[in-house]
Amino acid sequence: MRYRNFPMVPRVVFGNGSFLQLGEILMPKRKNSEAPFIFFIDDVFDGQPLITEVPLLFNDQIIFISSEEEPKTEQVDALVAKIKESFPVLPSGIIGIGGGTLLDLAKAVALMLTNDGSAAAYQGWDLVKKPAIYHVGIPTISGTGAEVSRTTVLMGPEKKLGINSDHTPFDQVLLDPKLTQGVPKEQWFFTGMDCYIHCIESLNGTYLNAFSQSYGEKALELCHEVYLKDISKEDSRDKLMMASWHGGMSIAYSQVGIAHAMSYGLSYLLGVKHGIGNCLVFQYLEEFYPEGVKVFKQMQEKHQIKLPTGICAHLSEEQFDIMINVSFGLVPLWENALGDNWKEIMTYDRLLQLFKKI
Amino acid sequence: MRYRNFPMVPRVVFGNGSFLQLGEILMPKRKNSEAPFIFFIDDVFDGQPLITEVPLLFNDQIIFISSEEEPKTEQVDALVAKIKESFPVLPSGIIGIGGGTLLDLAKAVALMLTNDGSAAAYQGWDLVKKPAIYHVGIPTISGTGAEVSRTTVLMGPEKKLGINSDHTPFDQVLLDPKLTQGVPKEQWFFTGMDCYIHCIESLNGTYLNAFSQSYGEKALELCHEVYLKDISKEDSRDKLMMASWHGGMSIAYSQVGIAHAMSYGLSYLLGVKHGIGNCLVFQYLEEFYPEGVKVFKQMQEKHQIKLPTGICAHLSEEQFDIMINVSFGLVPLWENALGDNWKEIMTYDRLLQLFKKI
């Protein structure tokens, strides 16, 4: 048995209002006045007070990016080209401020500024050879675990798949729960459920060991506190941010499962966003995760979250076929969920019936 | 409010038998065939099968070190001098294999190989200016949290105090629960209680925030599983190793409290080892930590651990005075435990009475 030598984020700040320390954190990482810091910021913050607190110096630049769509390899390539055109030297660093989309774009662009070719060529496991430039992750919504993971999940021309590598994790993460104050309720729910579902899948998987179990259990407990107990808003923000962090760490020696495999299919074909995609699938997985689905429905009920229906109602056979193939392509997820003989358990037809419910 | 930018161990392997991967992990860190890896190994392993698995190459060296006594600044200085005399170049790295004493010595020597003067000059907070040489921590007993902390606690000529700095943490940690198989029962108990007591103190302290709380709660839960539930030996080793890890992480934004402050006094005057020192003190702290002490006594009962008595029976007034002064010197610990007006709560006489019980 070989165990992964897991890369952890080497620096983390946690605290309400810690965003104000960003300038001081970046200062020693500034290579020179020519080499800017580039801030990728979710465009919902355009014109918001947060922007006045971004510690811009010299030719630093803010690039606002929409998180309406899942991040794409071609979007990464375009950002890299734009940065290379705009500046004669490599930037001092990339700072991603936003949800999973913004964090994943920051990680991917930091990698692709030092590695040649298209981001699509690096989708997979350990294909990245050169270290990224310095990159910082600052989540403004909690649940994806992107702030701590060794992947950046991208929609490519052929597949939705992460760039998984030891060079992917952020060099620095800043966790300021105050930044998550303005998140709309539905998004708060769907993104938090990304963490919840991820934990249910990894804790029930065959890949788990004690390291990942301890992180996953803590993340799950925190999700229960946030979504089932009546705690203060401030506590809730703090705890969900830590749930996301521990949930992301738990992936070190575990894997996600059926909901993620199917949700990738939905995203690929229909562009359904990851958080809501997981929920759409997970509600129908009680035969695989009975307790997890029961509690999920309690949370949904408590917060009166309605999920859209009929998403797959009018799909053609060909379209179902695409989704099923994308899903089945994620072999480690199925192995983790159902064991080595997963193909006997999850037949094409059984998966088709599951997709048809959505 | 300013928040610490906490340095995390950037690489970690967890797994039974992962010690066999050490050679492969060290290989890319070898500077050249002249620059050895120096292995500090607890001398209980001298002649044991583990030694045959140490991946020695070229002029790599094993130095066996006793953990009978707490690590000392003069011991660090002597080890540094010895290494500098023995080799014309700085080593490729220092690997500590053992309990808290060995891990702390490895961290301190790695720091002092690049920083001038005596280790005693760096006892305190953020006095270290230059990065350490590459250093790896491999615990063979669980509970101290030394594998993940940003301190190395040393007995100096004037005080028992840590070298707390961002350069202190290991560059790599290898967590192989199998290595803890041979730990004698009493040591297993006392060292595990270091983690347990540490969690009780930090979770009940005033310094706590949600980051540290989540780690501390998980560590405490794992301690309960290990010391109160009937789980398999393998599970127990896995879980205690993770308890120690999370317990160490929880210190990021928290502090220990009364038991540690008093235990430092005991260590300083009488050379009482840290783990047992904590237990000797903690049993008498029910007025401060009622639930924690109650559960501690259940654990002690379940594992039939007898604590020595009369440790302070024959001390002179002067000796008590020394212990009390060392304890009171640890201001952040008292503030964390009792708040800003701690001096009104914990008077000289009250502390004296507590020491006299031990």
Side-chain angles (χ1 to χ4, degrees), chain B residues 197-206 208 212-218 220 250 254-255 336:
Chain B
I197 292 169
H198 166 145
C199 289
I200 297 293
E201 291 180 308
S202 63
L203 290 171
N204 288 286
T206 59
L208 196 69
S212 287
Q213 187 185 354
S214 68
Y215 280 102
E217 285 172 350
K218 188 65 212 177
L220 192 61
S250 83
S254 71
Q255 249 305 352
N336 178 53

Side-chain angles (χ1 to χ4, degrees), chain A residues 241-261:
Chain A
M241 196 159 259
M242 289 312 301
S244 179
W245 178 260
H246 292 308
M249 279 299 302
S250 82
I251 214 70
Y253 302 100
S254 71
Q255 250 303 352
V256 285
I258 303 176
H260 275 76

